[in-house]
Structure formats: structure tokens, C-alpha cells
Amino acid sequence: MTALDISVWIAENGESLQKAFVDNVYLIARDRLVLRLRPRGGGVKTLVIEAGRRISFTKFMADVKRVADPQLEGVQRLWRSLLRDCCIEGVEQVEHERVVLLNLVCKGERRALVAELLPRGVIALLNGSGTIKIVSEPRTMRDRVVRVGEVYSPPPPRRPAVLTTNDIDELARLLTKGKDLVRGVVRGWSLPGEIAEEVIARCGLDKSADPGSVGKEAVECLRHEVLKLLLETPKAPEPCIVAVDGEPIGVYPYIPSHVRGAVKRFNRFDDAIDEYFTKLTEREVVRRAVAELESKIARLTKSIEEVREAIKRRRAELEGLRRVIRAIEENYPV
């Protein structure tokens, strides 16, 4: 999920998360946490958090116990002891980053569940002073350390340039940080590649163009489209999944112009995210299963070849022994 995806998801689901209680916690992998919630309006909702990937409600995990990893039962118990019966007071996005913060109250103590959806992201639970109580995986990075006992430090903020300046000349200068236009928008304006390609397509520009040759009108168009995506999409999203040859290639809170394929629309962005990532996970599971089977077949094939070679050797040894026996029988008196 991009930072824009997170903004749209929070705008859509933030209110329904408020005052929801954590009924139970399941760990289906070290970096995949499933929370069974009891919203204030009644019923049960299942929230999936995958570090480095997504946060969404799901309809495809009716039997969470079945998919929980039994090897992680001890860690799961620890997560449960820290999260069960906690009340979600609110949800927010850290700066304009791919980091979601669930603010909790647990038996009178304030805590926060951090879901980092950026590469090498983690899931961490913080106490009231911001110290990490448990983390999906400890990380030591160039600009921060994420491990139990440390005060949590979010990734360095990368606020999009169009939100910090209206100066077209300055925005044009920032574009020259990239070798081509798309990389200029990514590096100079601090935007994800998906957004960069989308605004370039909407303005009818060539993404491989020299950023230094882009005129003021083009820069103004790019700025306008970026602001439209960042500020207006959360208020009026158009959720969809785009597929090519029946294979989903992306989930978007808007109808994309930079990709061509069959567009499946949704009423809620959360439903689009859930379907897309569930299918993605299914394909990954199938690929892993196929890879494991192919590996087993390769090992068995090798074993069969080794057995065949052993049979050849044994037959040769047997024939040699038969010749010795015949020679002995024919020359027994000697």
C-alpha cells in the first residue's frame, strides 16, 4: 500500500475502528498479525496487518485459528497478553508515510500499535512513553534501530514537495534530481513511483523525457494532478483492481491512467484491498507449494537415477561373481 492508499483507508475506516475492543490476536506469520475486533456497534470484524504490505479488514479468514502458525504459539501468547481487551481510541497516519498508528488504552495504560507498510517494515507495540514492548522482527537500519527496549523512531519523513511549496520554478528545479521525468517526480518531489507514473500519464507527458526540458505548464499540470490525487482522492475514492489476462496487477483508490487492463470497481476501498491481497497471497501459497513439489520431484528423480546406477553396478558385480563360481565349478579337481 502506498501512502495515498493508507490515507484513503483511514478516511474510510477510521471512525469504525474507534472504541473497538481487541477480542483476540492471531499470528499467522512473524510479520502478519490478525486482530479479531468487537466494534462499538456490535458484531465482529477481522483486521489483518502485514508488515511491509497492507492493513485492511478481511472477509476471507472465517477460521483464523486454522491459518495461525503453531510454531509461533509462544510469541502469539505474548502478543495476546499485551493486546487483548485493549480499546482502540483512534487511528492515524504518521506524517505522509506508510506508517499506521493504532492508539490504544489497555487497562488504563496508553499503548500504540505501529504498522509499517514500507519495505523492511515491522509491526511493533509501544508503551505510553513510546518504548517498544514487542516487535515482529528487530531491525538495525542506517537511520534508526527498531528493537525491544528502544524508544520507537519512525522512518525519516518524506513530505511531498507539492505540499511544502507552491513555487513552480522550485518544483521544476527539484525535477532535475532524476535522470528522467518519472525519477524526477519520485526523487525530487518525494512521491512513490505509482503516483509519479499516474500524474505523468494524466498530463500526457513522456515519463522518459529529460526533466530539465519540461516547461512551466507541464510542471503546473503535474502539481495540480498530484494535489488532486493526494487531497481529493481520500474524500471521493474510486476503488478498483486492475487485471491483465485475468491476473490482478494492482489495487488503486482511483481509476489509473498509467496502466491498461480490465478494471473491477468496488464500493469500498477496503474490499478492493482485501480481495487483491487475498488473491496475491493465494498465488504465493500456490507458487510455494509448486516449488516445494518440484524440489521434491527433483530430489526423487536424483534418487531414482542413483538407484539405477547402483543396480547397474550390482548387476555387474553379480555377473563377475557368477563367472568366478563357474570357473571354480569347472576346475574343482584342480
Side-chain angles (χ1 to χ4, degrees):
M1 290 173 68
T2 65
L4 175 58
D5 293 338
I6 292 169
S7 298
V8 174
W9 187 82
I10 290 176
E12 182 181 84
N13 299 283
E15 191 175 339
S16 65
L17 279 167
Q18 286 182 351
K19 303 304 178 186
F21 279 87
V22 180
D23 186 56
N24 214 339
V25 181
Y26 300 93
L27 206 57
I28 55 178
R30 285 197 176 274
D31 58 352
R32 296 184 185 184
L33 200 66
V34 177
L35 305 182
R36 192 170 67 187
L37 304 178
R38 287 181 282 121
R40 64 177 181 270
V44 175
K45 281 192 169 187
T46 305
L47 183 70
V48 181
I49 302 173
E50 295 185 49
R53 182 174 260 190
R54 66 130 162 188
I55 180 170
S56 72
F57 292 110
T58 182
K59 299 182 181 71
F60 299 103
M61 278 191 197
D63 188 4
V64 185
K65 294 178 183 177
R66 188 174 59 84
V67 295
D69 189 340
Q71 294 183 351
L72 300 175
E73 192 173 336
V75 185
Q76 179 176 270
R77 280 198 299 269
L78 181 55
W79 277 104
R80 283 179 176 173
S81 69
L82 293 169
L83 283 174
R84 258 183 176 170
D85 296 324
C86 289
C87 177
I88 299 174
E89 283 211 320
V91 57
E92 60 184 287
Q93 183 175 12
V94 177
E95 292 287 337
H96 195 75
E97 275 297 328
R98 285 176 285 177
V99 180
V100 180
L101 205 63
L102 292 174
N103 296 308
L104 310 169
V105 175
C106 310
K107 298 175 183 176
E109 179 190 355
R110 293 196 175 277
R111 294 175 186 169
L113 184 63
V114 179
E116 296 185 348
L117 307 186
L118 64 164
R120 299 192 70 204
V122 300
I123 304 170
L125 184 68
L126 319 180
N127 65 14
S129 60
T131 302
I132 299 171
K133 294 177 72 71
I134 185 172
V135 65
S136 56
E137 189 171 347
R139 300 276 193 197
T140 300
M141 289 166 268
R142 183 180 60 186
D143 42 34
R144 62 196 186 111
V145 175
V146 183
R147 62 172 175 242
V148 173
E150 297 281 345
V151 174
Y152 174 75
S153 177
R158 295 195 317 150
R159 191 167 175 78
V162 294
L163 298 179
T164 60
T165 180
N166 294 323
D167 189 335
I168 297 300
D169 291 331
E170 174 63 9
L171 291 172
R173 185 192 67 78
L174 290 171
L175 287 178
T176 60
K177 288 187 175 184
K179 292 182 179 179
D180 49 37
L181 185 56
V182 69
R183 279 182 278 192
V185 175
V186 171
R187 294 176 185 173
W189 290 10
S190 298
L191 289 165
E194 177 186 300
I195 299 296
E197 293 204 25
E198 178 61 21
V199 297
I200 289 170
R202 290 187 179 191
C203 290
L205 301 172
D206 181 2
K207 67 180 183 179
S208 60
D210 178 5
S213 65
V214 176
K216 280 191 174 183
E217 286 187 8
V219 176
E220 286 176 353
C221 178
L222 290 170
R223 175 181 172 276
H224 172 77
E225 292 298 336
V226 170
L227 289 173
K228 188 176 175 182
L229 275 175
L230 297 184
L231 302 179
E232 295 181 19
T233 304
K235 299 174 186 175
E238 296 180 274
C240 70
I241 292 175
V242 178
V244 175
D245 297 328
E247 286 292 314
I249 61 167
V251 58
Y252 306 91
Y254 53 85
I255 306 301
S257 305
H258 69 285
V259 291
R260 293 286 180 268
V263 176
K264 181 179 179 181
R265 294 174 179 259
F266 292 79
N267 292 326
R268 290 175 50 79
F269 187 43
D270 187 72
D271 293 336
I273 294 170
D274 188 27
E275 182 170 316
Y276 175 77
F277 282 106
T278 298
K279 287 185 176 180
L280 193 66
T281 303
E282 286 173 353
R283 291 201 304 274
E284 289 172 352
V285 169
V286 169
R287 278 198 295 268
R288 282 199 298 269
V290 169
E292 287 174 8
L293 285 173
E294 288 176 343
S295 177
K296 287 179 181 178
I297 290 169
R299 290 198 300 271
L300 287 170
T301 302
K302 185 179 178 181
S303 298
I304 290 168
E305 291 301 319
E306 289 173 350
V307 169
R308 283 175 177 163
E309 289 298 319
I311 289 171
K312 286 181 183 178
R313 291 196 300 272
R314 295 293 184 266
R315 281 176 175 166
E317 290 172 6
L318 178 60
E319 186 56 35
L321 289 171
R322 282 173 175 161
R323 286 197 299 270
V324 170
I325 290 170
R326 282 199 299 270
I328 291 172
E329 289 175 342
E330 291 170 1
N331 296 281
Y332 185 71
V334 176

